[in-house]
Amino acid sequence: MENQKWFDEMEARIPKGEVRTRFAPSPTGYMHIGNLRTALYTWLIAKSMGGKFILRIEDTDQERFVEGATEIIYNTLRTCHLDWQEGPDVGGPVGPYIQTERREIYGKYADLLIEKGGAYRCFCKADEGTVPVTLPNGEVIKKHQCSCASLSKEEVQARLDAGEPCVIRQKIPQEGTTTFSDVIFGDITVPNNELDENVLIKTDGLPTYNFANVVDDHLMGITHVVRGSEYLSSAPKYNLLYQAFGWEIPTYVHCSPVMRDSQHKMSKRHGDPSFEDLLAQGYLPEAILNYVALLGWSPGGEQEIFSLEELARVFDVHGISKSPAVFDMNKLKWMNAEYIKAMPPEQFAAVAEPYIRQTVKNPNLDTARIAALLQPRTEVLTEIPEKVDFFDELEPYPLHLYEHKKSRVNQELALVVLKYARAVLADLIKWEDEGIHAVLVAIAGQLGVKNAAVMYPVRIAVSGRAVTPGGAVELCSILGREETLFRLKAGILALTAERTIRNEEEDDF
């Protein structure tokens, strides 16, 4: 057989004796949630079993290739800390790890498959040789049936010499059945006459996914293959390829899809978010990854928050469900909030600062102190700018905000409180939380009201908001003496003017 030495050398490169998994995305744009879950489960299998995680770029579908998409893949995996031990950028013993750089490999193995009787050259045009076939369940499928498989070597060579274009198709026996085993779905048996003889090598010499992934998985020593359940129907054809070559079949793990709802798969075309979209919406990568891990996999027990290291310790493929998983944005938001609350304060301050600075331009304001107020009250980071914009500038606000039945505050009491507060705070020697708190509590005592009846109107005056991150003391402390006194005066003037108007209206009446 020609090239036997080359084949022997290729086979000799295959690593043995270790668990090896691969994530093999196509560079067609964004990283959707299903893809990220596949990457995560693949990584977890390798980590939990002491193996290696390999990154391979499947770019043979050049029509769908998107410039920059490979970098999106790299950046996503790095952001999620899914480190790979072999890949296009780090190399390895079984490269290249980009399929378009392996064209020669596929061509030679396709020729070998023809010699072994598992494939043939097909000279049919695109619209030739396809016939409808009715399955036992009544379903009608289209299959390729032609006489090219029966051409002699001489006839094939003559047509090649004449320049006729051809593809290489898988040759499938029409008798018997093919059985494959999957960790999630068990054993599945398919009649061979239901399997189509798909193209393995296109007229441009590049392989289809059906052929390239089998050749690459074998030559890279892949022991476990994780992919979507939409590939279940193709698995028998993959097994026939492995059998024709005489290769060992890897362990299959087919995962059911991630759904938008009970009827529809998640789809970017329908507005469902990709990983990049979720980051842009203010979700933490750790929270996204944790939530994605639980989309169709159960660790058992009540725990839901897992670090990546914890996931690697407890992950078991047998916990993956056959049922599709529904992506719940509310559950993700809850989980993101839990991650935010658990962050070390200095880490959250660093993460929050760019969002704070979107609306807080004053360089004298302490963003770390603002972040400390936000941390227990933030679900997603993109909420932050709107929560804190009042720190930079006080916008006009309705005076009815000063009315609060629970605290027994009305505009008349609010005016009295603000006048007291401004007068006493102006003389406060040291501007800090404890001193501000003591002053406001003392005013409540003097007026014979609860502390809340003083804190509430002061908070409204300095923020113009009914809901704020933090109370009156914290807000005054962060704003500083000058700005706090200015805002209290503005509140006093507004309430005084309102009272004057009311008195005039009553007199007129």
Side-chain angles (χ1 to χ4, degrees):
M1 183 175 64
E2 294 182 10
N3 300 313
Q4 186 59 55
K5 181 180 178 182
W6 182 87
F7 285 118
D8 290 343
E9 290 174 351
M10 292 296 292
E11 298 290 320
R13 295 169 59 195
I14 301 174
K16 294 178 175 62
E18 62 181 3
V19 169
R20 292 171 62 82
T21 68
R22 51 76 168 168
F23 179 51
S26 298
T28 55
Y30 60 91
M31 177 79 78
H32 61 73
I33 296 302
N35 256 7
L36 179 59
R37 187 184 64 171
T38 297
L40 175 60
Y41 287 177
T42 304
W43 186 90
L44 288 171
I45 290 172
K47 287 294 180 182
S48 64
M49 301 179 73
K52 289 182 179 175
F53 176 65
I54 292 98
L55 175 61
R56 185 173 76 221
I57 303 298
E58 296 194 341
D59 62 342
T60 55
D61 189 350
Q62 290 292 292
E63 292 182 0
R64 297 178 62 224
F65 177 82
V66 174
E67 194 68 38
T70 301
E71 284 305 314
I72 291 176
I73 295 167
Y74 291 152
N75 292 338
T76 299
L77 295 181
R78 289 181 184 128
T79 299
C80 294
H81 303 291
L82 302 180
D83 55 306
W84 54 97
Q85 289 69 59
E86 300 173 27
D89 56 335
V90 298
V94 291
Y97 294 88
I98 297 178
Q99 285 189 334
T100 51
E101 298 176 10
R102 299 170 64 84
R103 182 192 295 251
E104 179 189 11
I105 295 173
Y106 305 127
K108 289 187 177 181
Y109 273 95
D111 290 341
L112 177 62
L113 188 61
I114 291 173
E115 289 186 30
K116 289 179 173 290
Y120 62 94
R121 295 188 183 277
C122 177
F123 295 90
C124 296
K125 294 182 173 61
D127 57 347
E128 294 178 342
T130 301
V131 297
V133 175
T134 302
L135 302 181
N137 63 3
E139 180 185 358
V140 178
I141 62 172
K142 290 184 177 181
K143 287 184 57 178
H144 184 88
Q145 291 182 354
C146 69
S147 59
C148 293
S150 60
L151 294 174
S152 67
K153 289 185 177 180
E154 293 75 18
E155 289 174 309
V156 169
Q157 191 59 52
R159 297 179 74 164
L160 290 174
D161 291 342
E164 282 193 58
C166 72
V167 298
I168 297 179
R169 288 186 181 274
Q170 183 175 6
K171 189 173 185 179
I172 294 177
Q174 294 305 298
E175 303 296 328
T177 61
T178 296
T179 299
F180 73 95
S181 297
D182 180 81
V183 171
I184 311 304
F185 290 88
D187 291 344
I188 298 177
T189 300
V190 181
N192 289 333
N193 61 9
E194 294 183 8
L195 302 177
D196 196 12
E197 297 190 329
N198 292 123
V199 173
L200 303 179
I201 301 289
K202 296 175 285 188
T203 55
D204 61 5
L206 285 173
T208 60
Y209 171 85
N210 290 329
F211 187 59
N213 87 89
V214 168
V215 172
D216 288 344
D217 285 347
H218 169 69
L219 294 180
M220 293 182 180
I222 303 303
T223 58
H224 295 70
V225 173
V226 182
R227 57 179 166 233
S229 58
E230 64 269 23
Y231 291 105
L232 278 170
S233 60
S234 300
K237 289 179 280 191
Y238 302 149
N239 278 15
L240 288 171
L241 288 173
Y242 279 106
Q243 292 166 5
F245 279 119
W247 295 341
E248 184 176 351
I249 297 171
T251 299
Y252 291 128
V253 182
H254 287 84
C255 302
S256 293
V258 178
M259 310 290 285
R260 182 196 327 144
D261 53 44
S262 60
Q263 301 297 323
H264 304 93
K265 288 184 181 181
M266 289 188 73
S267 168
K268 182 72 170 177
R269 292 191 302 273
H270 294 98
D272 296 315
S274 66
F275 175 74
E276 293 81 7
D277 292 332
L278 292 174
L279 292 181
Q281 292 170 16
Y283 291 90
L284 300 171
E286 298 84 359
I288 299 171
L289 203 64
N290 188 159
Y291 180 64
V292 166
L294 301 178
L295 285 174
W297 171 76
S298 174
E302 300 298 322
Q303 183 177 347
E304 292 186 283
I305 305 298
F306 293 89
S307 68
L308 190 57
E309 292 73 21
E310 289 173 326
L311 285 172
R313 287 197 296 271
V314 302
F315 187 78
D316 184 341
V317 293
H318 295 94
I320 298 175
S321 172
K322 292 181 183 180
S323 302
V326 176
F327 188 88
D328 185 344
M329 287 296 296
N330 290 327
K331 185 63 177 289
L332 173 59
K333 183 175 286 188
W334 168 82
M335 187 168 285
N336 199 68
E338 293 300 305
Y339 267 84
I340 287 176
K341 290 174 188 174
M343 293 175 77
E346 62 277 6
Q347 182 184 354
F348 178 74
V351 170
E353 182 174 18
Y355 294 90
I356 295 172
R357 286 302 181 193
Q358 286 181 28
T359 53
V360 179
K361 307 300 182 183
N362 186 342
N364 297 319
L365 293 181
D366 188 343
T367 57
R369 292 204 61 194
I370 296 174
L373 300 180
L374 291 167
Q375 188 166 1
R377 301 171 174 89
T378 301
E379 290 184 308
V380 292
L381 298 174
T382 46
E383 298 171 350
I384 291 176
E386 188 177 0
K387 286 178 180 286
V388 300
D389 58 359
F390 68 87
F391 278 108
D392 209 53
E393 185 176 354
L394 186 64
E395 298 288 339
Y397 57 90
L399 296 182
H400 69 73
L401 290 179
Y402 285 105
E403 307 282 346
H404 196 274
K405 291 182 179 179
K406 186 176 180 180
S407 300
R408 297 184 178 180
V409 178
N410 56 31
Q411 292 187 28
E412 292 295 326
L413 177 58
L415 179 57
V416 173
V417 167
L418 296 189
K419 287 181 176 180
Y420 266 90
R422 188 174 189 279
V424 181
L425 287 173
D427 295 329
L428 185 62
I429 297 173
K430 194 171 184 181
W431 194 265
E432 60 182 9
D433 288 23
E434 290 183 5
I436 296 170
H437 182 267
V439 163
L440 298 182
V441 169
I443 292 172
Q446 292 172 15
L447 294 176
V449 298
K450 292 183 178 180
N451 292 346
V454 172
M455 300 293 182
Y456 181 79
V458 170
R459 182 169 63 84
I460 296 298
V462 298
S463 69
R465 297 280 184 84
V467 179
T468 57
V473 173
E474 296 94 341
L475 301 185
C476 291
S477 179
I478 292 171
L479 286 167
R481 183 194 306 272
E482 182 179 346
E483 183 65 18
T484 296
L485 296 179
F486 172 80
R487 294 186 180 196
L488 290 174
K489 183 178 181 179
I492 292 168
L493 293 174
L495 287 169
T496 301
E498 178 71 9
R499 186 174 66 174
T500 300
I501 293 171
R502 285 183 180 178
N503 290 339
E504 289 176 352
E505 289 176 347
E506 290 175 0
D507 291 342
D508 291 341
F509 181 79

